[in-house]
């Protein structure tokens, strides 16, 4: 049943991969600072100071300057990263996808906000059946229906190929008598991806529940070998973070022969 499925999902927060910290206003950043401080390596410091820093990090020219000024000391550098994440989080919570979240240098700036907006516009099922949810996700923080929807924010620190990835996430949840809608948008990722948006749909079907997932992954590496990397990372995100959620449901509620 829908309540049983929701209870199982709450006990298996598959999308909370790595060190994930709940952000509420200014609360939570001390914990983020501690996790980042433990993740900075000499290789990360060297990448910041190298000529191809923009290839290694999703940061603007101004952010690169501030990080480089702190790169000689891991403690100071971790504080600079926290300041960067705090500013991007505050910008998003104030203006949503309209926030200027561009990164990259030499006139080749990338802004994942438009890709995330376009992806949300393609959610036709939600537009038709749950327009308030789709509208809130598309136009956050405008048009929010707080009576039915709840927004929460996270910062996470993960490891991929020996490198730390710092991400900022917006999770939107809407639970009703006959449905549960869960969207997680990674509106800032420090490298490898430009953005990620996952939407989970749980619908009551008599005494049972239908569960589905929609995934959008964005990266600037769109051709040649870079395309292969993008596809591998996209599949890895689904396999490592989302597939276990479905596997846990199958384990909890075996399908009858």
């Amino acid at each position: 049943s829908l309540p049983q499925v929701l209870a199982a999902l709450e006990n298996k927060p598959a999308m909370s991969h790595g060190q994930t910290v709940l952000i509420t206003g200014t609360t939570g950043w001390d914990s983020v600072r501690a996790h980042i401080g433990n993740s900075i390596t000499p290789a990360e410091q060297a990448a910041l100071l190298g000529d191809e820093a923009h290839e290694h990090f999703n940061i603007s020219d101004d952010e690169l300057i501030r990080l480089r000024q702190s790169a000689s000391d891991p403690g100071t550098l971790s504080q600079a990263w926290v300041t960067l994440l705090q500013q991007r989080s505050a910008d998003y919570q104030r203006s949503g996808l309209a926030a200027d979240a561009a990164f990259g240098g030499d006139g080749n700036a990338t802004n994942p906000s438009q890709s995330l907006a376009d992806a949300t516009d393609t959610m036709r099922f939600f537009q038709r059946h749950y327009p308030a949810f789709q509208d809130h996700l598309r136009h956050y923080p405008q048009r929010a229906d707080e009576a039915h929807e709840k927004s929460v924010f996270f910062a996470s620190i993960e490891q991929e190929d020996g490198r730390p990835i710092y991400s900022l996430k917006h999770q939107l949840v809407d639970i009703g008598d006959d449905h549960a809608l869960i969207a997680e948008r990674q509106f800032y990722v420090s490298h490898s991806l430009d953005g990620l948006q996952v939407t989970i749909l749980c619908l009551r079907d008599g005494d049972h529940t239908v569960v589905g997932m929609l995934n959008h992954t964005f990266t600037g590496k769109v051709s040649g070998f870079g395309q292969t990397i993008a596809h591998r990372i996209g599949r890895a995100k689904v396999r490592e973070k989302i597939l276990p959620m479905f596997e846990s449901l199958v384990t909890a509620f075996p399908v009858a022969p």
Side-chain angles (χ1 to χ4, degrees):
S1 67
L2 182 60
Q4 289 176 304
V5 169
L6 293 180
L9 291 178
E10 290 174 356
N11 291 330
K12 286 282 188 179
M15 289 189 291
S16 297
H17 187 70
Q19 300 290 338
T20 300
V21 180
L22 176 65
I23 300 299
T24 305
T26 59
T27 304
W29 291 108
D30 286 344
S31 182
V32 173
R33 185 178 297 107
H35 290 313
I36 288 180
N38 292 329
S39 70
I40 293 176
T41 64
E44 289 295 292
Q45 294 172 274
L48 272 174
L49 298 173
D51 293 337
E52 298 181 350
H54 281 300
E55 296 296 318
H56 295 285
F57 301 95
N58 291 340
I59 48 179
S60 67
D61 285 334
D62 290 341
E63 290 168 339
L64 177 59
I65 291 172
R66 292 195 294 272
L67 290 172
R68 280 179 167 173
Q69 291 171 343
S70 308
S72 61
D73 176 68
T76 307
L77 180 56
S78 67
Q79 177 58 51
W81 265 113
V82 172
T83 300
L84 184 158
L85 296 173
Q86 282 182 298
Q87 185 60 57
R88 284 186 175 269
S89 181
D91 289 345
Y92 178 87
Q93 292 186 52
R94 181 176 59 252
S95 303
L97 292 177
D100 182 14
F103 48 75
D106 301 324
N108 295 316
T110 298
N111 192 329
S113 296
Q114 188 59 54
S115 297
L116 290 166
D118 291 344
T120 309
D121 285 338
T122 67
M123 295 166 55
R124 306 302 184 194
F125 180 88
F126 291 88
Q127 284 182 329
R128 185 177 302 114
H129 298 285
Y130 301 100
F133 181 87
Q134 190 270 348
D135 211 31
H136 186 180
L137 185 63
R138 172 64 176 85
H139 297 287
Y140 175 86
Q142 289 77 35
R143 309 182 193 177
D145 182 2
E146 296 298 342
H148 298 93
E149 300 155 0
K150 179 183 179 182
S151 282
V152 289
F153 297 90
F154 301 93
S156 74
I157 298 92
E158 306 169 58
Q159 290 286 329
E160 182 179 278
D161 295 333
R163 291 194 61 195
I165 300 178
Y166 312 136
S167 303
L168 297 172
K169 305 178 182 182
H170 173 202
Q171 191 174 96
L172 178 64
V173 178
D174 178 7
I175 298 177
D177 292 335
D178 61 351
H179 69 274
L181 313 175
I182 306 166
E184 182 173 289
R185 170 184 288 161
Q186 295 190 20
F187 58 90
Y188 177 72
V189 187
S190 61
H191 75 86
S192 78
L193 295 178
D194 295 344
L196 175 70
Q197 185 164 286
V198 179
T199 310
I200 307 295
L201 172 70
C202 303
L203 293 179
R204 184 190 297 276
D205 181 20
D207 295 332
H208 305 282
T209 305
V210 177
V211 181
M213 181 271 292
L214 177 66
N215 175 64
H216 291 96
T217 306
F218 302 100
T219 177
K221 301 177 179 64
V222 295
S223 62
F225 181 64
Q227 187 178 53
T228 302
I229 295 175
H231 290 170
R232 177 179 61 81
I233 292 173
R235 288 193 297 270
K237 293 291 185 182
V238 173
R239 183 175 65 253
E240 296 173 7
K241 299 184 179 183
I242 303 164
L243 185 60
M245 181 193 70
F246 289 91
E247 292 173 337
S248 70
L249 292 179
V250 173
T251 300
F253 312 112
V255 178

